[in-house]
Amino acid sequence: LKNFFLNQNIFNIVAFGFLIRALTLIFYGNPLFGDTETHRLIGTEIFNGQIVTSSIHMPGYGVYMYLSNLIINSDLGFIFADILISSATIYIIYLLFLEIFHKSILAKITASIFALYPFSIFYSISGLNETLYIFLLLISILNFYRDKFFYGIFFIVLSIYVKSMSFFIAPLLI
């Protein structure tokens, strides 16, 4: 019963983070960036069997956008998926800090800080690849800490497809 209430607290933190992100989207809307449109074009080009016209963007976020929009059946489906991914990142941060420091209160404080972190909220509604990248990178690090190297490598490779910066980080983690 004690574990239920401890886990209930982290559920409340994640739910609160989701609510903040959803309310921010409702009240401030979705800012439009050139990179968002480029990623949308990349996803469309890949799934239509065309040559990708952007040589400086990684294809992972474009594929994610296309599939999110297809599954949710909306042109803004990827924004809802980003909000879900950002909320899931709150829980991943909790698990990571619990794994590293073995202190539940520290893990909850850290998760709460990320839930309220303005840049995290902004990126979750902006349609930029940072939300998915951070999620994949943190889940990779969590798997490395748990000695699940296959999954750690799998998620770091996915993060490279989203943002090529992991190409430089991956050798340090592996």
Side-chain angles (χ1 to χ4, degrees):
L1 191 62
K2 183 180 175 184
N3 284 341
F4 173 76
F5 287 112
L6 289 176
N7 290 335
Q8 190 68 26
N9 288 338
I10 189 59
F11 173 77
N12 290 339
I13 294 169
V14 172
F16 183 68
F18 176 81
L19 181 65
I20 288 173
R21 284 152 177 74
L23 289 174
T24 303
L25 178 63
I26 290 168
F27 288 116
Y28 292 103
N30 167 266
L32 295 175
F33 294 100
D35 278 0
T36 305
E37 293 306 315
T38 302
H39 286 295
R40 185 188 315 262
L41 178 64
I42 288 171
T44 303
E45 290 170 342
I46 288 172
F47 283 96
N48 287 333
Q50 300 170 344
I51 294 176
V52 176
T53 54
S54 175
S55 61
I56 62 170
H57 291 85
M58 298 302 287
Y61 193 71
V63 169
Y64 165 81
M65 283 179 71
Y66 186 89
L67 292 175
S68 297
N69 289 344
L70 183 68
I71 291 168
I72 297 175
N73 198 23
S74 168
D75 283 340
L76 294 177
F78 70 97
I79 297 295
F80 183 70
D82 272 352
I83 290 173
L84 289 176
I85 291 288
S86 182
S87 300
T89 303
I90 297 168
Y91 187 66
I92 296 300
I93 287 174
Y94 168 78
L95 292 177
L96 184 61
F97 271 75
L98 195 59
E99 188 76 25
I100 295 170
F101 297 108
H102 305 290
K103 301 227 184 265
S104 179
I105 189 70
L106 181 61
K108 288 177 188 172
I109 290 170
T110 306
S112 298
I113 290 170
F114 186 79
L116 296 171
Y117 187 56
F119 284 113
S120 169
I121 296 167
F122 168 75
Y123 282 125
S124 71
I125 65 164
S126 67
L128 298 172
N129 61 2
E130 277 76 3
T131 299
L132 182 61
Y133 172 72
I134 293 297
F135 173 76
L136 293 171
L137 187 64
L138 289 176
I139 204 165
S140 172
I141 293 169
L142 178 64
N143 279 293
F144 283 130
Y145 259 96
R146 292 181 170 174
D147 293 329
K148 296 180 179 177
F149 296 109
F150 174 78
Y151 294 113
I153 291 169
F154 176 76
F155 285 110
I156 199 114
V157 167
L158 285 181
S159 77
I160 291 170
Y161 279 109
V162 172
K163 196 172 190 79
S164 60
M165 189 183 312
S166 287
F167 182 74
F168 302 107
I169 297 171
L172 299 173
L173 292 175
I174 297 172

